[in-house]
Amino acid sequence: EAGVAQSPRYKIIEKRQSVAFWCNPISGHATLYWYQQILGQGPKLLIQFQNNGVVDDSQLPKDRFSAERLKGVDSTLKIQPAKLEDSAVYLCASSSGQRTQETQYFGPGTRLLVL
Amino acid sequence: KNQVEQSPQSLIILEGKNCTLQCNYTVSPFSNLRWYKQDTGRGPVSLTIMTFSENTKSNGRYTATLDADTKQSSLHITASQLSDSASYICVVSHSSNTGKLIFGQGTTLQVKP
């Protein structure tokens, strides 16, 4: 079974530039998550999709961050414009459902450095 | 406030030794507790999951315990190997329909030869 795929693996940009990350979840997984993990901290949920609908985006900084999952499969997360404090690893995860018992499977992450 | 606190923040042990990582949580209502292992540059991978009624769960050399009364969990690693060097994250599920996870900050374990 293929895992969660993410690209790019690394990205370096200057502040005020834009950046986009892509995620392809495990086939058949209806629920997709984007997390931000700052160095030395646990992941923080940015947005959760159930198919192509948003379930939870309460911690997404909507003035600069946006995400979409138009066809209910892969997803993109965009930052525009980026700030220095956005430097982090952006993890995508998927699960077959959104019940609390469901295991979330994580991708390798995209490491973003904003200069 | 729903929080998960882990200790120690970091730990260095010699290969072959045992170690125990701690997790305290204030999440309520509680659904389940997971321990994830995160290798450097990789995403977290689930090691164990325990519900309210479970006291212990093993996965090879990893044994997790849960005391739902005191809201504490521990992860015990037996006969450590170099490949155990990683961050270990305690994750608690809130009893909601969205499956929201609350992550601890992790314990970084380094196993030295």
Side-chain angles (χ1 to χ4, degrees):
Chain A
E1 178 183 78
V4 176
Q6 290 189 246
S7 67
R9 291 297 311 276
Y10 305 93
K11 191 73 177 180
I12 301 175
I13 62 173
E14 295 185 347
K15 60 182 179 183
R16 291 188 288 273
Q17 285 187 323
S18 301
V19 65
F21 312 129
W22 174 83
C23 171
N24 191 24
I26 292 174
S27 178
H29 278 193
T31 310
L32 185 148
Y33 311 80
W34 282 103
Y35 290 90
Q36 180 192 59
Q37 186 176 24
I38 293 173
L39 186 65
Q41 299 181 17
K44 181 185 83 171
L45 179 68
L46 293 175
I47 189 167
Q48 176 182 343
F49 291 95
Q50 179 69 14
N51 296 309
N52 60 351
V54 175
V55 174
D56 184 354
D57 64 355
S58 56
Q59 297 193 90
L60 186 73
K62 298 180 184 64
D63 57 334
R64 298 184 300 106
F65 286 64
S66 64
E68 59 183 15
R69 194 186 184 199
L70 293 176
K71 298 182 179 178
V73 181
D74 55 352
S75 175
T76 56
L77 175 70
K78 297 179 181 178
I79 307 175
Q80 180 180 12
K83 293 185 176 181
L84 297 177
E85 59 261 35
D86 298 332
S87 295
V89 176
Y90 290 84
L91 294 166
C92 179
S94 71
S95 62
S96 56
Q98 62 178 8
R99 295 180 305 154
T100 58
Q101 303 95 312
E102 303 286 352
T103 295
Q104 294 185 23
Y105 295 87
F106 287 82
T110 295
R111 190 175 300 272
L112 173 67
L113 178 61
V114 182
L115 302 175
Chain B
K1 184 177 180 181
N2 293 315
Q3 285 186 312
V4 177
E5 298 288 338
Q6 292 185 242
S7 63
Q9 185 174 356
S10 61
L11 183 62
I12 301 174
I13 62 173
L14 293 176
E15 185 179 13
K17 298 296 185 182
N18 304 334
C19 68
T20 300
L21 314 181
Q22 300 291 342
C23 173
N24 296 332
Y25 62 93
T26 59
V27 179
S28 182
F30 162 91
S31 176
N32 57 61
L33 185 147
R34 294 174 170 88
W35 283 92
Y36 276 87
K37 178 186 179 187
Q38 185 173 22
D39 292 311
T40 301
R42 309 285 291 273
V45 175
S46 180
L47 292 175
T48 63
I49 177 172
M50 290 181 290
T51 61
F52 183 90
S53 60
E54 295 177 293
N55 301 118
T56 186
K57 182 73 69 79
S58 291
N59 179 359
R61 294 179 297 101
Y62 301 102
T63 299
T65 64
L66 173 64
D67 185 334
D69 291 331
T70 61
K71 297 186 177 181
Q72 295 180 326
S73 175
S74 65
L75 180 68
H76 186 74
I77 304 175
T78 304
S80 61
Q81 300 176 359
L82 298 179
S83 59
D84 293 332
S85 296
S87 288
Y88 292 84
I89 306 174
C90 176
V91 186
V92 179
S93 287
H94 190 274
S95 288
S96 66
N97 293 330
T98 61
K100 184 173 184 176
L101 302 182
I102 299 165
F103 290 77
Q105 80 277 24
T107 292
T108 301
L109 173 66
Q110 185 176 0
V111 181
K112 290 192 169 182

